Amino acid sequence: MDAVETLVARAAPGHRYALWDLWTALSQAAGDREHAERALDALASAPPWLWPELDTARRAVWYSAPAVAPVPEPRGLWRLRHRPPEPDTPLAVLAAACAHDGHERERAVRHPAMRHDPRLLPILVIRAADWVAQVRSAAADVLDQVLAVPTGATLGTVAPVAVRIGGRRRGEAVVRMVRDALSRAGDEVLTALRSSADIPTRRFAYRACLDGRRIGEAELIHAARHEEDIVSRTLCAEAVAEMDRPDLLRELLANRAAQVRATALTALVRLGAPEHGERMLGDVSPVVRLTAQWAVRRAGGDPAEFYRRLLDEPPGHGLRHLVAGLGECGTPADAPIVLPSLTDESPRVRAEAVRAACRLGARVDLAAMLVDPAPVVVRHVAEALRDAPPPEDRLWPLLDGGRPPHVRRAAHRLLTRTDMWNRLKADLVLLTGPDESLRARARAGVDDWLTRQAATAYAGPPEPLRGELAALVERAHDALGERTARVLTWHLRTTSKIDNVPE
C-alpha cells in the first residue's frame, strides 16, 4: 500500500514505467479487499491527468500486467462456454475497464459499482470516449444516469477528466454531456467549479457559465478584476466588454493582466472613446501598446509622434517601454532617437533599444555590444546579428576563457552559423574552457556535428584551420573521450584539402 500511494504521488505525465509499476502494485493490492479499498482511495486523490495516462499504460505493448481482473477471454465458441467471472471488487472493475478486450471493458462499465462508486467515475468518463462503439455507448448510458442529478461531488470528479479527453476524436460528446449537466446544476455547484484548483476545469466552468449566462453581474465584474487565472479573467473581461459599460472598462484599463487591459481598451474604442489609447502607449505589455497605437490611429493621431514627444523629455522608469513603442510604429528617420538608449544605465533599456534600433534599420555597430556586462543585452544583440554575423576575427577573441559566460555563449552561437568547420572549432574551444555549462553545450555540439554534418564534410578545412582543429582535439581529448577524439582525428586526416577541391 505504501508503494501504491508513493507511485501515485510521484507519477508524472509521460513516465510510462512509473505507471506500469503502479499497475503492478495495484494488482498486488487487489488480493486483499481492505488493501484494494485503500488503493482505490489513493487513486481517487490522484491528479486528473493521471487517469488517461493510467488507462493507456494498462494496454501498453511492452507491459504484461498481473491479473487484477479476469484475463481476456479466448475467441470462438469456447468464449461462450467459459465466460470469466464478474469482478468482485471496485478495483477489479477498474482494471477490467482498462483491459485489452472490448467485451471485458463493456461488462466493466455495466457493473453496478460503476454507477454507485464515485471513485470509478474518471475511468467511466474515459470509456465514454472509447474507440469501440459498444463500449462507448454502454459507458455513455451509465454516465448519463450518473449525471442525471449533477451534484458538486460528481461534477468535480467528472469534469477534470472530461476536459482532458475533449480533444480526442470521440471526446467531444463526453464534454457536451458534462456541459449539459453544468447547465442543470445549481448555482452553488457552478461557483465551486469556478473556484476549482484544477485550472482546465476552472476555465471550462467559466466558459460554460458565460455561454449559459449563469453568472451574475456582480460576480462577473469581480472575476474580471480579481480572478487568479488570467485566461478566466480575460474571458470575464470580454463578457464585461459586451455590457457597453464605459465606467467599468475604464477601471479595467488599470488591471494587472495585459489581456484584460487590451480587451478593455478595444471595447472603449468600439464604444467611440479612442482617446484612451494615448495614455496606454507606454504600457509594459506589447499587446497593450499595439492596441493603444491602433486606438490613437482611430482617433486620427500618429502614435509615433506621441513617442517622439515623450522621448524628448527624460521619461524616468518608463523609458524602456517608450523606446519599444517607437520601435514598433516608428520610421527609419526615428532611429537617431533610440540610439542614445543603447548606452543607458539600465540593462533592460539597452536591450529594448537594440530591438528598436534593428526594427528601425539604424546604422550602428551592434557587434561592439557583444561584450555588454548584462546577459539580457547580449542575448538581444546575438539575436539581431543572427542572420548577418560580424566578421569572424571579431568573434574568436570573445571565446577567450577570461570572458563572461554569456559573452562566450553569444560568440559561440554566432560562430556556429558561419561555417561547419568554424562550428567544430568553436565547440572544441568551449570544451577546454572553465565553465561547466558551456562545456556540456560544446560536447553536445560536437556530438551533433558528428551526427549531422560530418558525413557531408567532403572538403576539409583550410590547412591552417586543419592544424588548429587537430591541436584542439588533442587538448580536449579527455573531455571528448577516446572514441570521439579518434573519430574527429580521422575526419581531419581523410577530408580533402579545400585547395584541391575541383570547382
Side-chain angles (χ1 to χ4, degrees):
M1 277 312 308
D2 290 340
V4 171
E5 294 168 355
T6 300
L7 288 168
V8 169
R10 292 182 178 178
H15 289 200
R16 187 61 60 86
Y17 290 105
L19 297 174
W20 292 347
D21 291 342
L22 178 55
W23 271 117
T24 301
L26 290 174
S27 69
Q28 295 171 353
D32 181 273
R33 186 172 293 275
E34 180 182 350
H35 288 169
E37 288 295 304
R38 285 184 57 193
L40 200 53
D41 287 340
L43 284 179
S45 64
W49 59 260
L50 179 66
W51 290 96
E53 298 258 354
L54 190 67
D55 173 54
T56 56
R58 172 71 174 171
R59 297 182 300 278
V61 175
W62 297 107
Y63 176 62
S64 178
V68 179
V71 296
E73 310 165 32
R75 297 182 180 276
L77 183 62
W78 196 90
R79 178 202 301 271
L80 302 176
R81 297 175 179 174
H82 300 82
R83 183 172 179 170
E86 290 289 330
D88 59 351
T89 66
L91 182 59
V93 175
L94 167 67
C98 301
H100 285 275
D101 189 275
H103 295 85
E104 192 171 346
R105 295 199 305 278
E106 183 180 358
R107 284 199 305 274
V109 297
R110 294 185 185 280
H111 193 281
M114 196 65 76
R115 290 190 297 274
H116 304 301
D117 194 328
R119 297 172 298 179
L120 299 180
L121 288 180
I123 210 66
L124 176 64
V125 173
I126 294 174
R127 291 284 73 83
D130 199 276
W131 60 96
V132 176
Q134 292 85 343
V135 178
R136 188 166 65 249
S137 176
D141 289 343
V142 177
L143 183 60
D144 189 57
Q145 298 174 32
V146 171
L147 294 177
V149 181
T151 64
T154 299
L155 287 173
T157 303
V158 168
V161 180
V163 297
R164 282 167 170 81
I165 65 171
R168 296 183 179 181
R169 185 185 304 176
R170 293 168 277 281
E172 293 181 2
V174 182
V175 174
R176 283 197 300 270
M177 292 179 66
V178 177
R179 188 183 291 271
D180 291 343
L182 280 175
S183 67
R184 302 191 306 272
D187 292 340
E188 66 283 355
V189 173
L190 299 179
T191 301
L193 286 178
R194 291 198 304 270
S195 303
S196 173
D198 182 58
I199 296 301
T201 302
R202 179 182 295 199
R203 294 173 182 175
F204 177 74
Y206 266 108
R207 289 189 175 97
C209 290
L210 291 171
D211 291 344
R213 301 186 181 278
R214 292 292 306 277
I215 180 170
E217 182 176 309
E219 293 176 296
L220 177 63
I221 295 172
H222 183 271
R225 293 169 177 167
H226 306 295
E227 166 60 39
E228 295 177 1
D229 176 53
I230 299 302
V231 173
S232 300
R233 189 191 304 184
T234 304
L235 291 172
C236 293
E238 292 171 351
V240 170
E242 296 177 359
M243 296 166 59
D244 294 345
R245 292 275 303 276
D247 55 327
L248 297 176
L249 295 173
R250 284 193 296 269
E251 182 181 340
L252 292 180
L253 288 178
N255 198 271
R256 290 183 299 119
Q259 287 292 345
V260 171
R261 298 196 300 274
T263 299
L265 182 55
T266 301
L268 284 169
V269 174
R270 179 175 55 83
L271 293 176
E275 65 275 6
H276 293 282
E278 183 177 347
R279 58 179 276 210
M280 307 297 290
L281 285 173
D283 196 272
V284 299
S285 168
V287 172
V288 179
R289 285 199 306 272
L290 292 173
T291 307
Q293 293 161 18
W294 164 73
V296 170
R297 293 189 186 97
R298 287 289 298 266
D302 178 10
E305 184 57 38
F306 285 97
Y307 286 118
R308 296 182 195 115
R309 187 175 70 249
L310 293 171
L311 287 170
D312 279 343
E313 302 176 359
H317 67 278
L319 175 60
R320 171 191 169 193
H321 313 302
L322 297 179
V323 169
L326 185 58
E328 290 160 353
C329 65
T331 66
D334 296 317
I337 300 177
V338 304
L339 292 183
S341 298
L342 293 173
T343 58
D344 191 86
E345 63 180 10
S346 169
R348 291 289 179 181
V349 172
R350 296 199 301 275
E352 205 61 67
V354 169
R355 297 179 62 186
C358 292
R359 288 172 176 170
L360 298 175
R363 294 183 176 275
V364 60
D365 183 17
L366 290 179
M369 298 185 67
L370 285 170
V371 295
D372 192 282
V376 64
V377 177
V378 176
R379 282 199 305 271
H380 281 74
V381 172
E383 181 66 24
L385 297 174
R386 181 181 60 178
D387 296 328
E392 298 170 18
D393 57 356
R394 298 187 64 181
L395 295 175
W396 289 118
L398 302 183
L399 287 182
D400 184 81
R403 297 284 188 179
H406 68 275
V407 174
R408 303 182 72 212
R409 186 179 297 108
H412 173 267
R413 180 179 174 186
L414 292 172
L415 283 166
T416 56
R417 300 181 66 87
T418 58
D419 174 79
M420 65 183 302
W421 294 108
N422 281 338
R423 173 188 177 182
L424 180 59
K425 178 182 175 181
D427 285 331
L428 292 173
V429 170
L430 286 189
L431 203 55
T432 59
D435 189 270
E436 177 61 33
S437 65
L438 293 181
R439 288 200 300 270
R441 179 190 185 102
R443 179 54 202 259
V446 170
D447 293 340
D448 186 72
W449 187 90
L450 289 171
T451 302
R452 297 174 181 272
Q453 291 189 297
T456 59
Y458 305 117
E463 199 54 40
L465 180 56
R466 188 190 299 266
E468 291 182 50
L469 289 171
L472 287 169
V473 170
E474 183 66 26
R475 283 174 53 193
H477 185 279
D478 292 341
L480 290 169
E482 177 65 31
R483 181 180 181 280
T484 301
R486 188 168 62 249
V487 172
L488 288 175
T489 301
W490 180 84
H491 276 289
L492 292 173
R493 288 176 178 173
T494 57
T495 51
S496 61
K497 295 183 179 180
I498 193 169
D499 296 336
N500 297 333
V501 177
E503 297 183 1

